[in-house]
Amino acid sequence: MYLNIFMTSLPHKCGEPDRLSFSFIRVSGYKMLFSNQEQEMFEQEIEPIVKSLGFELVQGLIIPGKNNVKIRVTLFEKNGVSIDDCARMSRALEQEYDFESVFGENFSLEVSSPGINRKLKSLREYKIFIGKPVKLYLKNNQYGSNFFKGIIKEVVKTEVLILSDDNKELSFDIKNISKGKINENIQFN
């Protein structure tokens, strides 16, 4: 059984324009399912809050549960993210974003750092981690292989450019990358 729920835009703060809100939520049984577009809208809404404290937003994930919604926000800062940073960000998000109006009263907010073996899921993440070592697994062979390791050099449109371990600049379309992992343990020859 699916039920469509339409929501209107919500006021953000006095004197500020209304912010976008989720326009469509599907309910299946007891679970709310959020589309990729709704996830992206959520990230766009919280990104200014994250940036205002000096962090990059890696991901804002909405995970529906049977009786609640888990909101997972992942931060990055080149010098690292501490527990105190996560607590400060959690307080800022709760003050600046009206979670109850969007998700209801039964939600939990988790703020964390990406971890050292982070799987990269979007171009946004590849951009954030420029300069970091990465392992790439490809769907289809390219340059004679389906596995590469190197340093993320640049992201241009839908292409991820890496400097390989043998010092070659290689370009991969995001659609051909089945898995990308940040790995600080990569050793180059």
Side-chain angles (χ1 to χ4, degrees), residues 101-115:
S101 293
V102 178
F103 302 108
E105 291 180 10
N106 293 326
F107 71 89
S108 63
L109 175 61
E110 296 177 5
V111 178
S112 66
S113 66

Side-chain angles (χ1 to χ4, degrees), residues 14-70:
C14 293
E16 293 184 15
D18 287 353
R19 61 188 168 86
L20 295 172
S21 183
F22 300 110
S23 57
F24 175 72
I25 298 173
R26 292 180 309 241
V27 178
S28 171
Y30 296 105
K31 285 192 172 187
M32 289 189 261
L33 307 172
F34 297 91
S35 70
N36 288 341
Q37 182 181 7
E38 290 160 340
Q39 296 270 356
E40 288 172 14
M41 286 173 52
F42 174 67
E43 287 178 339
Q44 289 171 6
E45 290 177 357
I46 66 169
E47 188 166 34
I49 301 166
V50 172
K51 285 186 177 279
S52 74
L53 292 180
F55 297 96
E56 292 289 329
L57 176 65
V58 175
Q59 185 177 43
L61 189 60
I62 304 165
I63 306 165
K66 185 173 181 178
N67 297 316
N68 69 347
V69 175
K70 184 185 297 185

Side-chain angles (χ1 to χ4, degrees), residues 78-94:
K78 66 180 179 179
N79 296 318
V81 177
S82 70
I83 292 172
D84 290 338
D85 292 333
C86 292
R88 190 166 48 104
M89 181 58 65
S90 179
R91 285 189 297 273
L93 286 167
E94 288 175 358

Side-chain angles (χ1 to χ4, degrees), residues 126 135-148 171-180:
Y126 284 96
K135 291 181 181 179
L136 295 180
Y137 300 84
L138 305 180
K139 296 174 185 172
N140 301 305
N141 278 359
Q142 197 172 331
Y143 306 109
S145 181
N146 66 349
F147 172 76
F148 294 88
S171 177
F172 304 95
D173 190 288
I174 190 75
K175 292 179 184 172
N176 191 32
I177 300 173
S178 65
K179 182 169 68 171

